[in-house]
Amino acid sequence: MPKKQRKSLGEILVEKGLITAEQLKQAQAQARTSARPLRQILVKQGLISEEDLTVFLSQQFNLPYIELTNYLIDPEVIDLVPEALARKYLLIPILKVAKSLTVAMVEPLDVFALDELRMKTHLEIEPAVASETEIRKALDAHYRSRGTMEEVIESLDRESLGIKAGEEPEAKELQTIAEEPPVIKLVNLMIIEAVRQGASDIHIEPEEEVLKTRFRVDGMLREHTPPPKYLQSAITSRIKIMANLDIAERRAPQDGRIQMKMEGRDIDIRVSCVPTIYGENVVLRLLDRSRVILDLKQLGFSSQALAKYKELIRRPHGIILVCGPTGSGKTTTLYASLNAINSEEKNIITIEDPIEYHLPGIRQMQVNPKVNLKFSSGLRSILRQDPNVIMVGEIRDSETAGIAVQAALTGHLVFSTLHTNDAPGAVARLLDMGVEPFLLSSTLIGVLAQRLVRTICSKCKGKGCGDCLKTGFRGRIGIFELMLPNEEIKKFIGARAEVDEIRKTAVGAGMQLLRQDGEEKVKKGITTKEEVLRVTEEA
């Protein structure tokens, strides 16, 4: 029986009705006379867009479709494939896992390219599909500007970028500069390094003579290699383009978002630009979805506190508050709490600002002031959606507080956050917002205050090593203070008692203070006394 012959790209496109047989014939003739690939002719003649063709190839051959503009590629992966081979076959390596190398290709079924890749890399090749335009840009960005961040910076100078001393480039010039391969590589390397260090934020801070760069790792800002001051506009413009912001606007604050992939992980980046006297200050908040903790057991609760908290979040109605300053892990705790109680029998809806992570099976709403969607108005809408559980990102005003109390009174379990130093302080804050004491005492079922402390590096035991960047710490864990209002505390709330009285009663009923929980973790060798004192000095 004769072997079935594989259909050509042109035949498949005709068969699928994307082009006509006559159009294919003309394109094939031009391809022969110009010695150019058929796909290039089809795109050039406008018979099919490059993106549509790439997506079609991906679907037809059941291969991943890669958008390279959203990929952060490790320089070590690039080094696996020689530039000559990559340009010869129009391909670029993007990810190595064990003995497998994923390669984005224009012609993913080219057996000659696949064989040569296997011989050169001694790895199994997993082909993926990407557009020719994106692959050519990626080749220039990753092969023309090889090396470390320091080496890339050295390759950039005013003359090569066309930046004149003392002059701010125009918007069109900035667009061109921001698309230069070394500039793309520089910004990508900065993000890659921040992700590798486990940074939550990248700060790009212009001063009079320098462009300071800092990473926030485990809650602490650390200086990073500063690029030359003359690269300020190039770096800022590159980030703005990635975040779909207006590069010509430098006098007003702007916020944007970048979604990227690195080593198979989704990295969500929130970008904030604000004008200062020395140029725009840029902060990138990195949200690595693969690192989010959705298991309460991993947050740092003691076994006793965890048992009490698990029982609390399974109550049918009432208000549960998580308190602490910005960056204390409140949102992570809320997400882990919702994840723990999520089931087919429950309708869980949130209103957040911003939505940091997407939770499967949970309806999440984003605050949007442009259409007057605030926490208060969003909460009203949620109550018409037949919810069992509601999560309000933050109670910021009396209106939101009042609606949250009413929701709890009508049989809903409400989670939210407050910016207070400790658990008893949440009571005073809500009373100051105008919540009636008798309503608060009948709806508040639990308050959890928390902080994040750095944990001692497991490899060097605090001495400082390459793994912990010589700090002696690697990672963070929570310390907690859980107040469960009993009848006596409820009476104090109803009587508007002083916070100190409520705290004293809560401690008498078994509440462990933040510092006490921290001291337990010091005894277990998890963190240090100085670290606990640092985060609890105001608690």
Side-chain angles (χ1 to χ4, degrees):
M1 186 175 178
K3 188 177 180 181
K4 188 175 181 181
Q5 191 171 7
R6 185 190 293 273
K7 291 181 180 178
S8 68
L9 171 63
E11 289 171 331
I12 296 171
L13 291 173
V14 171
E15 188 179 278
K16 297 292 183 182
L18 296 174
I19 60 174
T20 66
E22 183 59 31
Q23 287 172 330
L24 173 61
K25 186 177 179 180
Q26 292 175 1
Q28 286 173 329
Q30 187 171 342
R32 283 192 295 271
T33 57
S34 64
R36 294 171 64 189
L38 175 65
R39 55 180 165 72
Q40 285 188 1
I41 303 300
L42 293 171
V43 171
K44 186 179 180 182
Q45 290 184 350
L47 299 175
I48 188 170
S49 72
E50 186 177 32
E51 183 180 0
D52 288 346
L53 179 59
T54 308
V55 172
F56 171 77
L57 288 171
S58 167
Q59 295 171 343
Q60 184 65 30
F61 300 118
N62 195 28
L63 293 170
Y65 167 52
I66 304 294
E67 292 184 81
L68 287 172
T69 52
N70 297 331
Y71 248 88
L72 292 167
I73 307 175
D74 190 328
E76 292 181 6
V77 174
I78 292 292
D79 289 341
L80 294 172
V81 177
E83 180 178 1
L85 190 156
R87 291 191 181 277
K88 175 183 176 182
Y89 293 112
L90 285 179
L91 55 85
I92 191 160
I94 58 172
L95 173 66
K96 179 182 178 292
V97 178
K99 294 292 184 180
S100 175
L101 181 66
T102 301
V103 181
M105 308 175 68
V106 173
E107 303 283 0
L109 301 182
D110 187 333
V111 292
F112 297 105
L114 295 172
D115 285 344
E116 196 166 342
L117 277 170
R118 289 189 192 98
M119 290 175 61
K120 289 286 185 183
T121 64
H122 304 291
L123 296 168
E124 285 301 313
I125 306 302
E126 298 288 342
V129 187
S131 72
E132 181 177 343
T133 299
E134 286 200 356
I135 284 182
R136 288 189 183 278
K137 282 184 178 179
L139 288 171
D140 288 343
H142 291 284
Y143 284 104
R144 283 188 186 175
S145 49
R146 304 286 290 278
T148 64
M149 184 178 291
E150 290 79 4
E151 291 169 338
V152 174
I153 289 173
E154 285 180 14
S155 72
L156 290 163
D157 54 54
R158 290 183 188 275
E159 192 174 333
S160 66
L161 292 174
I163 300 174
K164 296 178 182 178
E167 291 185 19
E168 189 68 27
E170 296 295 326
K172 287 184 178 179
E173 294 175 301
L174 285 174
Q175 182 86 31
T176 302
I177 292 168
E179 295 293 348
E180 287 289 330
V183 175
I184 295 173
K185 181 68 176 288
L186 177 60
V187 173
N188 284 354
L189 281 174
M190 187 184 298
I191 298 172
I192 288 171
E193 183 60 27
V195 172
R196 279 181 176 164
Q197 290 187 20
S200 61
D201 303 85
I202 300 172
H203 290 244
I204 301 169
E205 305 163 326
E207 298 186 356
E208 187 173 8
E209 301 293 336
V210 298
L211 182 62
K212 184 187 280 187
T213 306
R214 296 191 289 173
F215 293 172
R216 187 179 294 280
V217 181
D218 294 336
M220 307 291 282
L221 280 169
R222 300 175 185 169
E223 294 267 357
H224 194 256
T225 306
K229 176 72 174 176
Y230 63 79
L231 290 178
Q232 178 177 322
S233 57
I235 292 170
T236 302
S237 298
R238 178 62 199 162
I239 293 169
K240 282 184 167 184
I241 288 172
M242 294 168 73
N244 293 314
L245 299 178
D246 183 359
I247 62 172
E249 179 56 76
R250 304 167 202 169
R251 297 171 298 176
Q254 294 189 71
D255 296 306
R257 183 178 178 182
I258 305 168
Q259 289 180 296
M260 308 200 80
K261 286 184 177 291
M262 177 180 166
E263 298 173 352
R265 294 144 58 190
D266 290 320
I267 311 295
D268 198 357
I269 304 173
R270 306 291 166 83
V271 178
S272 171
C273 303
V274 297
T276 72
I277 57 173
Y278 297 124
E280 289 179 281
N281 197 87
V282 183
V283 175
L284 291 80
R285 168 145 290 188
L286 310 177
L287 302 172
D288 185 347
R289 294 179 186 173
S290 67
R291 289 168 60 99
V292 65
I293 300 174
L294 294 179
D295 187 346
L296 288 170
K297 293 179 182 177
Q298 298 179 38
L299 297 181
F301 283 100
S302 66
S303 57
Q304 186 179 13
L306 180 61
K308 289 180 179 179
Y309 188 70
K310 281 185 172 180
E311 184 181 343
L312 176 69
I313 63 177
R314 284 175 169 79
R315 300 270 290 273
H317 54 80
I319 296 177
I320 299 171
L321 298 173
V322 181
C323 304
T326 300
S328 59
K330 299 188 298 294
T331 301
T332 299
T333 298
L334 285 178
Y335 281 170
S337 303
L338 296 182
N339 190 57
I341 63 173
N342 189 19
S343 68
E344 286 294 324
E345 294 77 31
K346 290 180 180 176
N347 180 20
I348 303 176
I349 308 179
T350 75
I351 174 79
E352 305 173 56
D353 183 25
I355 296 173
E356 294 192 7
Y357 298 99
H358 299 286
L359 301 171
I362 293 175
R363 267 56 62 192
Q364 295 172 267
M365 287 173 57
Q366 169 71 53
V367 166
N368 187 353
K370 293 180 181 178
V371 294
N372 200 35
L373 178 55
K374 301 178 291 184
F375 280 123
S376 55
S377 57
L379 184 49
R380 283 198 186 91
S381 299
I382 286 173
L383 289 171
R384 294 191 285 270
Q385 290 284 309
D386 186 32
N388 299 102
V389 180
I390 300 167
M391 192 267 270
V392 184
E394 183 184 348
I395 294 178
R396 296 177 180 172
D397 52 56
S398 57
E399 187 178 11
T400 306
I403 301 168
V405 167
Q406 290 300 321
L409 283 171
T410 52
H412 302 91
L413 184 62
V414 181
F415 289 86
S416 192
T417 69
L418 275 179
H419 285 275
T420 61
N421 288 330
D422 61 4
V427 173
R429 181 72 186 279
L430 288 174
L431 292 175
D432 288 344
M433 285 184 180
V435 176
E436 291 292 341
F438 74 94
L439 291 177
L440 184 58
S441 64
S442 60
T443 55
L444 186 66
I445 61 173
V447 184
L448 181 74
Q450 68 178 78
R451 298 290 191 278
L452 292 174
V453 293
R454 292 181 295 168
T455 54
I456 295 171
C457 176
S458 59
K459 290 195 175 180
C460 66
K461 303 300 181 184
K463 296 175 183 177
C465 64
D467 195 59
C468 63
L469 304 176
K470 305 296 183 182
T471 64
F473 296 97
R474 182 67 173 168
R476 289 190 291 176
I477 197 168
I479 58 173
F480 301 95
E481 177 178 293
L482 179 60
M483 185 178 81
L484 302 173
N486 57 19
E487 289 305 316
E488 190 175 1
I489 292 173
K490 288 179 180 180
K491 287 180 183 177
F492 277 130
I493 295 173
R496 288 184 178 271
E498 293 293 326
V499 170
D500 286 343
E501 288 188 74
I502 295 174
R503 183 183 296 108
K504 183 178 178 181
T505 305
V507 170
M511 182 181 81
Q512 189 177 45
L513 298 174
L514 280 167
R515 189 164 290 179
Q516 292 172 330
D517 188 30
E519 288 169 354
E520 290 295 322
K521 290 179 171 63
V522 172
K523 291 177 184 177
K524 292 178 181 178
I526 296 171
T527 188
T528 65
K529 185 177 180 180
E530 292 75 20
E531 184 66 9
V532 172
L533 290 172
R534 180 181 68 83
V535 301
T536 61
E537 55 187 7
E538 293 183 2

